[in-house]
Amino acid sequence: MSQFAYVGQVPASREIFFQALLVQTFFNGFQVLGQCKSDEIVTMKMAINSMFNRLPINCKGHREVLRFLVLRTLREKGEFTFKEVPPLPEDYRQGLEQILRQLGGDPQWGEGELILQANGWQVMGDAIHLPQTRSSYWAATVLANAWKSPHELALVLPRPGNSQLVTTIQLLDFFGLKCKGNDKELTLPAHQQLAIKHYVVEPDLLFASYLAARASIEGGCHLTPLPKVSLQVESEFVDLFSKMGVPVEQKEAQLKIHPAKKIRSIEAQIKAIDLLPLISVMLTRAEGTSRLTLSPEDIVENKAHIDRVMELVKALKTNVTRIPEGIQIEGPSQGTSQAETLDPKGSVAFALAVNLAGALGHSLALTDREILDWKFPVSFA
């Protein structure tokens, strides 16, 4: 194993940065502060400029740029062309089309291209009905684009929202966008205005959890500033690591992680679904049975993601089984994996977990290394 050490800042959260940049498109004086050199964020900033200048919007293969900005352009008037649109899973494309058509949009797809005629949101019906798949994901996207709506908006959910949606609602509430409702329907009053003048984007806690997991193997890391209280549900990684026996020092806005000689098996609820791959790989070092439970919403909405995590754990020569409330892992690993190249399928969380498995001595690689280089422009040695 190579020595690992990381001292310094963690890049700003990309998900929160995207949403803050959207706020800025509605309120010119709003300042977005934070360090994020991710290619996605750089592309998003350029795409926003293209939108306002009525130029072709280049997604540069970034799905999240398309996700956030296509609903934003529909708030404007005129024709917008998205270039270098990445290939989209069928359920993703269907979900996007379902929402666009309910808002009066008629997407025209070409080879790596999307053309959209915009005339402001024209809600067709009494509410926006979210798709059956990725419903929380799309609900968060609609909410992030709902500023200054001239009409009250209602969103109908096929099931209660997951932690991602809860985080979005809390963030937008802090910005001033108030949302009310229940597990089945959310309502946003009309003409909502900004409550703050600037916002410092939090560090990306998914990436922080990877750095901490890597440091738990060998070396160490010192992350600062890293807030004790965060909007991101991934903040639970600190408690989870402590339960697993990882030496953790947390004082004010600093976090130090030291190598763990031994990882303990745990029984815990994972609220942040993106932590599941990383925690599962860490538990292949633990002796005994670990049970990781998930919310009913995540079990339904993220079935494919959970299945892929189980395939990864099996590739690491570790027994894993599906249980009604999540997964069960029987450690430790019974050897190193065979040489294999895995497709992250757009999942940063999965890619980080594969990278961690490599640090544990397993012969795994990624088909798409750019997914990490684009999102976290730091060394992954």
Side-chain angles (χ1 to χ4, degrees):
M1 300 177 188
S2 59
Q3 286 287 341
F4 175 85
Y6 188 99
V7 178
Q9 292 185 331
V10 176
S13 165
R14 294 168 299 105
E15 179 78 11
I16 294 179
F17 221 116
F18 272 119
Q19 298 190 41
L21 288 175
L22 281 176
V23 174
Q24 199 173 50
T25 68
F26 290 100
F27 305 97
N28 289 331
F30 181 61
Q31 290 185 299
V32 181
L33 308 174
Q35 178 191 20
C36 188
K37 298 178 181 178
S38 161
D39 193 64
E40 282 183 314
I41 298 302
V42 173
T43 300
M44 181 67 169
K45 291 177 179 179
M46 295 172 63
I48 288 171
N49 286 332
S50 296
M51 177 186 73
F52 282 126
N53 289 304
R54 296 302 192 268
L55 298 172
I57 298 169
N58 195 329
C59 297
K60 293 187 177 180
H62 295 305
R63 186 192 299 178
E64 294 300 279
V65 174
L66 176 70
R67 168 203 173 190
F68 280 108
L69 209 52
V70 72
L71 292 184
R72 178 63 184 88
T73 57
L74 200 59
R75 295 289 305 273
E76 303 293 318
K77 292 187 177 182
E79 181 177 284
F80 295 90
T81 301
F82 290 82
K83 298 287 189 180
E84 291 191 39
V85 173
L88 302 175
E90 188 61 27
D91 71 309
Y92 189 102
R93 180 164 164 167
Q94 289 175 354
L96 178 57
E97 289 180 351
Q98 178 180 331
I99 293 171
L100 287 173
R101 291 200 167 99
Q102 289 183 84
L103 295 172
D106 183 22
Q108 302 297 316
W109 300 92
E111 187 67 32
E113 182 179 270
L114 170 62
I115 298 175
L116 192 64
Q117 294 288 342
N119 190 33
W121 282 6
Q122 307 290 327
V123 179
M124 305 295 174
D126 59 345
I128 302 168
H129 294 261
L130 280 304
Q132 287 291 328
T133 59
R134 307 177 194 257
S135 60
S136 290
Y137 178 86
W138 291 120
T141 311
V142 173
L143 292 176
N145 281 283
W147 291 95
K148 292 185 175 180
S149 172
H151 309 289
E152 182 179 86
L153 295 173
L155 279 67
V156 176
L157 301 165
R159 66 187 63 86
N162 65 10
S163 58
Q164 179 187 33
L165 179 56
V166 172
T167 297
T168 297
I169 291 173
Q170 291 175 341
L171 175 66
L172 295 177
D173 181 81
F174 179 78
F175 287 160
L177 186 73
K178 305 302 179 182
C179 179
K180 55 186 179 181
N182 51 45
D183 289 344
K184 296 181 179 180
E185 184 171 308
L186 300 174
T187 304
L188 289 88
H191 306 294
Q192 299 222 37
Q193 296 293 318
L194 191 63
I196 58 177
K197 295 181 178 180
H198 68 272
Y199 179 70
V200 180
V201 182
E202 293 182 2
D204 193 306
L205 296 189
L206 176 61
F207 186 52
S209 71
Y210 166 79
L211 295 174
R214 183 67 181 82
S216 74
I217 300 171
E218 188 176 44
C221 72
H222 181 188
L223 307 178
T224 180
L226 203 73
K228 269 190 172 184
V229 179
S230 169
L231 289 172
Q232 299 168 75
V233 71
E234 288 83 4
S235 61
E236 67 177 345
F237 85 86
V238 178
D239 289 337
L240 291 170
F241 279 33
S242 294
K243 289 179 180 178
M244 289 188 287
V246 176
V248 173
E249 291 182 50
Q250 190 171 28
K251 296 179 181 179
E252 297 180 352
Q254 299 185 51
L255 179 69
K256 291 183 180 180
I257 301 292
H258 304 283
K261 294 180 180 179
K262 183 179 179 181
I263 294 293
R264 293 194 294 262
S265 58
I266 62 170
E267 292 192 10
Q269 181 182 15
I270 306 296
K271 296 178 182 177
I273 189 67
D274 278 346
L275 286 180
L276 182 65
L278 204 67
I279 297 298
S280 298
V281 170
M282 292 179 69
L283 288 171
T284 64
R285 297 176 59 192
E287 290 187 12
T289 302
S290 292
R291 293 169 62 91
L292 302 178
T293 60
L294 304 165
S295 71
E297 295 77 32
D298 277 329
I299 288 174
V300 172
E301 291 209 354
N302 293 286
K303 180 181 182 301
H305 180 67
I306 298 167
D307 289 343
R308 296 190 68 232
V309 171
M310 292 180 64
E311 291 171 6
L312 173 59
V313 173
K314 289 175 182 177
L316 304 184
K317 306 294 184 182
T318 307
N319 291 326
V320 57
T321 54
R322 192 71 174 263
I323 55 177
E325 61 272 25
I327 64 173
Q328 182 169 290
I329 299 172
E330 302 281 349
S333 171
Q334 299 302 305
T336 56
S337 68
Q338 296 178 346
E340 190 174 353
T341 301
L342 302 176
D343 184 355
K345 296 185 178 180
S347 171
V348 179
F350 188 84
L352 289 171
V354 171
N355 214 69
L356 181 67
L360 286 169
H362 295 283
S363 301
L364 299 180
L366 293 166
T367 57
D368 181 11
R369 284 286 310 178
E370 287 184 332
I371 191 172
L372 294 180
D373 298 334
W374 278 353
K375 298 173 188 292
F376 305 111
V378 299
S379 172
F380 276 85

